[in-house]
Amino acid sequence: MKAVIPLAGRGTRLYPQTHTKPKAMVRIAGKPILGHILSSVASAGIDEAVLVVGGPMQAQIREYATDAFGDEFDLSFPEQEDPQGLGHAIHQAEPAVDGEPMLITLGDMLFENGYRTFLDAHETLGAADASVGVKRVDEPSHYGVVDVDDDGSVRELVEKPSEPPSDKAISGVYVVEDSDALFDALGHLIDNDLRGAGDEFQLTDALQRMVDTGSTVRTFEVDDWYDCGRPETLLEANRVLLESMETNGAGRLENAVVVPPVDIGADVTVDRSVVGPYVSLDDGAEISDSIVRDAIVGKDAVLSGVNLDHSIVGDAASISGEPQSLNVGDNSDLSL
């Protein structure tokens, strides 16, 4: 089985953080989002990963994945030159998948349960050409939604419907045994310019075509997931991941109070300050005369005389003053 991870999206919901890096390279709890995903994929026993990349910053993904995970995975990097939706992104992976089963997981989603849990759940479903992770939600019209027959097989999948057929939202993880059938469905959509929601080629629509042409698609339950493509849920994911870690690097700080859980990168300086709980400090960050809580602080960022809570600070940003909550992009310089 191969893991397919689409990573070519522009990450507009995470501006200004993604002006200078792909959203999968935003660091939380000690490593980029992509690092957490690949670590979980490796723990599931998968050793081949297909990373669909695109755009001018794709080299960051190629370099990081190769350097950090090149010994664990056989990596390939098909390119999506013109992003036209999730279905279009997955279609670019066809030559690399080469007819094998695949686990599809989105490049900005983190799950409380690991992928091994999902693969085990898929195996308990019996004969299925594909399965989709779902969770009941209060506002299904904001998601892709599935409707299921009494025998557990999917009869309808629809993306962001105005009148949802159920409250089962697609959670962004898929297990596909018959990858040829999925790629045939995606090819049909693209060849006939059958665009769906957002005027894009939707993976949901391709799965529906599989159902319509006789494939069996089933569902498995997913507990909480975190959409790291938005600031609020990015901070939430940071908190959840830090809860599962031991505070890292506090012993190097002599004139600071560290309130766990906190992740501290290399060459970090904290002077006359309090950091934590739920703070992730990237390499080279400098903090002085400040209080920082529930925050993600980027590489080489400088904070002086601030009281930050529920904030994201980009790489090499410099902030002084007394702000309370910020989302500051890379290389910014603020005085408040």
Side-chain angles (χ1 to χ4, degrees):
M1 176 170 285
K2 299 186 179 183
V4 177
I5 309 173
L7 298 165
R10 297 184 180 92
T12 56
R13 295 180 300 165
L14 264 186
Y15 283 167
Q17 304 303 321
T18 48
H19 282 309
T20 54
K21 64 171 72 74
K23 59 185 174 182
M25 291 303 297
V26 174
R27 174 173 163 144
I28 61 174
K31 53 188 170 186
I33 295 166
L34 178 59
H36 291 286
I37 293 172
L38 289 175
S39 293
S40 184
V41 169
S43 297
I46 298 174
D47 60 7
E48 296 183 76
V50 181
L51 310 186
V52 182
V53 296
M57 295 182 289
Q58 62 180 275
Q60 294 181 42
I61 291 173
R62 294 175 184 266
E63 291 170 8
Y64 171 75
T66 301
D67 291 346
F69 292 92
D71 292 337
E72 295 183 67
F73 289 100
D74 178 4
L75 296 165
S76 57
F77 300 92
E79 185 172 357
Q80 185 185 21
E81 295 182 0
D82 181 18
Q84 298 180 59
L86 177 58
H88 185 262
I90 300 302
H91 188 253
Q92 311 312 306
E94 182 175 7
V97 172
D98 194 26
E100 293 189 32
M102 57 182 171
L103 167 75
I104 300 173
T105 185
L106 305 190
D108 56 4
M109 302 291 283
L110 295 176
F111 300 90
E112 281 198 2
N113 292 335
Y115 296 112
R116 182 71 258 169
T117 302
F118 303 145
L119 294 177
D120 290 344
H122 169 79
E123 290 174 4
T124 67
L125 297 173
D129 298 302
S131 63
V132 180
V134 299
K135 180 178 173 63
R136 295 186 185 276
V137 297
D138 293 333
E139 298 181 343
S141 60
H142 295 172
Y143 303 87
V145 177
V146 301
D147 192 22
V148 179
D149 281 327
D150 293 339
D151 66 356
S153 60
V154 172
R155 62 185 169 199
E156 184 179 12
L157 305 97
V158 58
E159 188 70 25
K160 296 183 176 64
S162 57
E163 296 183 5
S166 79
D167 61 354
K168 291 185 176 183
I170 299 172
S171 62
V173 58
Y174 314 78
V175 182
V176 183
E177 296 285 351
D178 189 352
S179 61
D180 286 337
L182 177 59
F183 287 123
D184 285 347
L186 288 167
H188 175 80
L189 298 181
I190 293 169
D191 291 344
N192 293 280
D193 199 26
L194 299 175
R195 299 170 184 263
D199 195 32
E200 295 180 329
F201 297 108
Q202 297 291 346
L203 179 59
T204 306
D205 295 338
L207 290 166
Q208 180 64 56
R209 179 164 176 80
M210 285 182 66
V211 171
D212 293 341
T213 55
S215 296
T216 300
V217 179
R218 299 186 183 274
T219 64
F220 54 86
E221 295 294 325
V222 172
D223 291 333
D224 290 338
W225 77 81
Y226 303 96
D227 176 1
C228 295
R230 296 184 292 120
E232 288 292 327
T233 44
L234 183 69
L235 285 166
E236 184 180 6
N238 187 57
R239 292 192 294 270
V240 170
L241 290 168
L242 287 173
E243 283 278 12
S244 66
M245 301 169 55
E246 294 184 7
T247 290
N248 166 34
R252 304 194 305 267
L253 307 179
E254 297 181 356
N255 196 18
V257 175
V258 176
V259 183
V262 173
D263 179 79
I264 300 170
D267 301 320
V268 168
T269 301
V270 181
D271 189 29
R272 302 181 304 278
S273 299
V274 179
V275 293
Y278 305 116
V279 174
S280 181
L281 304 177
D282 205 344
D283 299 346
E286 298 181 16
I287 300 174
S288 62
D289 302 303
S290 299
I291 299 173
V292 183
R293 301 175 298 268
D294 189 16
I296 299 168
V297 180
K299 185 176 182 180
D300 297 325
V302 178
L303 309 180
S304 176
V306 299
N307 183 353
L308 285 186
D309 187 12
H310 204 67
S311 299
I312 305 171
V313 179
D315 296 348
S318 177
I319 303 172
S320 62
E322 299 181 355
Q324 297 296 315
S325 181
L326 295 171
N327 182 0
V328 181
D330 297 356
N331 301 296
S332 301
D333 189 346
L334 273 68
S335 180
L336 298 172

